[in-house]
Amino acid sequence: SARDPDEGATIVLSHYESYGSGLFSEFDAFRLDEDGLLVGISDFPHYDDRDLLGYEAQKTALLDNTAVFAAGKKGNNVLLTGARGTGKSTLVKAMVSRFGEKGLRLVQMERTQLDHLPRLLSLLGQEKHYRFVLFLDDLSFDEGEQEYKILKSAIDGSVTSQPENVLLYVTSNRRHLVRERAGDKLEVGADDDIHSSDTVQEKLSLVYRFGVRIYFG
């Protein structure tokens, strides 16, 4: 329908401005391979959040946060906690169906891939046309595991800070993500940690990095 080459060029540029190009225009969701590289998920399931019944307050909290973020404004990192089978993961994935046409993309990564997080944040931060939800499903850390410090550092803003077009949505069965022991709350812990209050605060500090915390009872 273009009347001349100049108008044709304008139409093409408008198309790419609206829908993007390359990998992120072809897929709505991604995972990381063994080398930490993005792989498009061609058979990603599309859910309708209206099919998840009985959690209206939880849905509203996540929808409101995601809508603001998809509109190009600042959103909050979200922690969804509760028992298995309550719909936490389904609700996060449903956000892609709801806001995919507005440029929202989901990137799912495993806890064992957290070493790739700084590089991934840098990569996604360069894709200004898109907004990304970095999704960590069923996340928790046991005693002695230090990977949670990588996550906390990324949210905190260390050498590689969290870009404005990336949010972290995390689901977990543990409200505080990191396993706590009864000894952590004693004046002297079970392992004679004389600074047990510092131990407790260290473990809780990761949770406090999430601006929105949603509980599924």
Side-chain angles (χ1 to χ4, degrees):
S1 63
R3 292 170 295 184
D4 54 56
D6 287 341
E7 186 177 358
T10 300
I11 293 173
V12 171
L13 289 172
S14 176
H15 170 83
Y16 285 123
E17 186 176 41
S18 299
Y19 299 101
S21 62
L23 191 67
F24 296 116
S25 65
E26 187 175 353
F27 300 97
D28 292 332
F30 303 83
R31 62 177 178 82
L32 297 186
D33 65 11
E34 295 178 353
D35 299 318
L37 302 177
L38 287 169
V39 178
I41 303 175
S42 57
D43 57 348
F44 184 75
H46 286 273
Y47 298 107
D48 189 334
D49 57 85
R50 291 171 296 185
D51 292 334
L52 185 62
L53 306 178
Y55 292 100
E56 298 309 317
Q58 290 87 338
K59 287 196 294 184
T60 298
L62 190 64
L63 279 167
D64 288 349
N65 188 70
T66 310
V68 168
F69 179 61
K73 301 176 183 178
K74 288 187 177 181
N76 285 293
N77 296 315
V78 181
L79 174 63
L80 303 91
T81 62
R84 295 180 182 274
T86 49
K88 302 183 297 296
S89 302
T90 299
L91 186 57
V92 171
K93 293 175 181 178
M95 296 300 99
V96 178
S97 301
R98 176 70 76 102
F99 299 103
E101 291 186 356
K102 294 186 177 181
L104 185 71
R105 298 293 182 265
L106 184 140
V107 179
Q108 185 163 349
M109 68 183 304
E110 305 296 330
R111 187 196 67 172
T112 55
Q113 297 175 319
L114 282 174
D115 287 343
H116 299 297
L117 183 57
R119 188 194 62 80
L120 180 62
L121 290 176
S122 178
L123 172 66
L124 298 180
Q126 298 172 23
E127 300 290 337
K128 302 299 184 182
H129 178 74
Y130 295 96
R131 315 288 282 180
F132 297 95
V133 166
L134 189 55
F135 180 39
L136 291 117
D137 193 21
D138 197 19
L139 183 68
S140 65
F141 301 97
D142 290 325
E143 190 71 25
E145 292 180 328
Q146 300 297 314
E147 289 91 342
Y148 77 93
K149 292 185 177 181
I150 300 175
L151 185 59
K152 188 178 74 169
S153 178
I155 299 175
D156 235 356
S158 55
V159 176
T160 303
S161 59
Q162 183 178 344
E164 290 188 1
N165 66 329
V166 180
L167 287 183
L168 282 86
Y169 283 11
V170 174
T171 69
S172 179
N173 298 324
R174 292 177 176 169
R175 289 198 184 193
H176 295 155
L177 289 177
V178 182
R179 180 186 179 189
E180 297 175 274
R181 297 176 294 111
D184 291 341
K185 301 182 183 297
L186 302 177
E187 286 297 325
V188 177
D191 55 355
D192 296 330
D193 180 2
I194 61 174
H195 300 291
S196 58
S197 62
D198 292 344
T199 301
V200 173
Q201 291 304 314
E202 169 71 13
K203 291 183 175 183
L204 296 182
S205 61
L206 174 58
V207 175
Y208 295 148
R209 298 299 192 276
F210 292 88
V212 174
R213 298 187 290 276
I214 305 173
Y215 177 66
F216 287 69

